[in-house]
Amino acid sequence: MWQAIRRWFDPSELRSVGTAPDYRFSLANERTFLAWLRTGLALIAGGLAAAQFLPPTPVHHLREAIAVALLLLGGAVAVRAVDHWARTERAIRLGEELPASRFPAVLALIVGLGALLLVFAVLARGVGGR
């Protein structure tokens, strides 16, 4: 695990592996990394917004649970992004198959489930408020 983390911060180690690829592949990998990083930042911003701007809910600490879940998910996306970038760059340099990942599917399911739970919370508040 420490070796993988070291790869994130040591570009010379990454460049010592394999051969230099066509720079377009490295730039595409970097753009994908930045897209994932933006997703993580958006989740973190959503968590901060939930903590600050959501009104109190009938369910005790629901607002805080939503905020913490979004913050943790945003952090997980950011860490996953840098790990996937390093593994992909290494595979490109070695001419290997790109690493597969279930993370996008898992993230989509978590976000979808979270949205569904929020719909129920909003409906419960609407019905309970009448």
Side-chain angles (χ1 to χ4, degrees):
M1 178 173 145
W2 290 113
Q3 186 178 14
I5 292 173
R6 187 174 60 85
R7 283 188 202 136
W8 300 349
F9 298 102
D10 187 7
S12 63
E13 192 276 334
L14 183 63
R15 289 186 176 181
S16 69
V17 174
T19 59
D22 182 340
Y23 71 92
R24 293 174 292 180
F25 297 120
S26 290
L27 292 175
N29 187 31
E30 188 173 326
R31 283 190 302 274
T32 302
F33 164 71
L34 292 172
W36 277 106
L37 200 54
R38 283 190 303 272
T39 301
L41 287 170
L43 289 165
I44 291 169
L48 291 173
Q52 293 298 311
F53 301 117
L54 281 181
T57 61
V59 179
H60 196 58
H61 294 297
L62 178 61
R63 177 176 61 181
E64 292 81 6
I66 292 168
V68 168
L70 288 170
L71 291 168
L72 290 174
L73 189 56
V77 168
V79 170
R80 183 266 177 200
V82 72
D83 181 61
H84 190 74
W85 169 83
R87 291 185 307 123
T88 300
E89 192 67 24
R90 183 177 181 84
I92 290 170
R93 292 185 69 84
L94 292 172
E96 296 175 349
E97 189 172 335
L98 297 180
S101 177
R102 291 187 180 101
F103 192 81
V106 170
L107 180 63
L109 288 174
I110 291 170
V111 169
L113 181 61
L116 189 61
L117 291 172
L118 287 174
V119 166
F120 287 129
V122 167
L123 291 176
R125 184 166 190 245
V127 171
R130 288 184 183 173

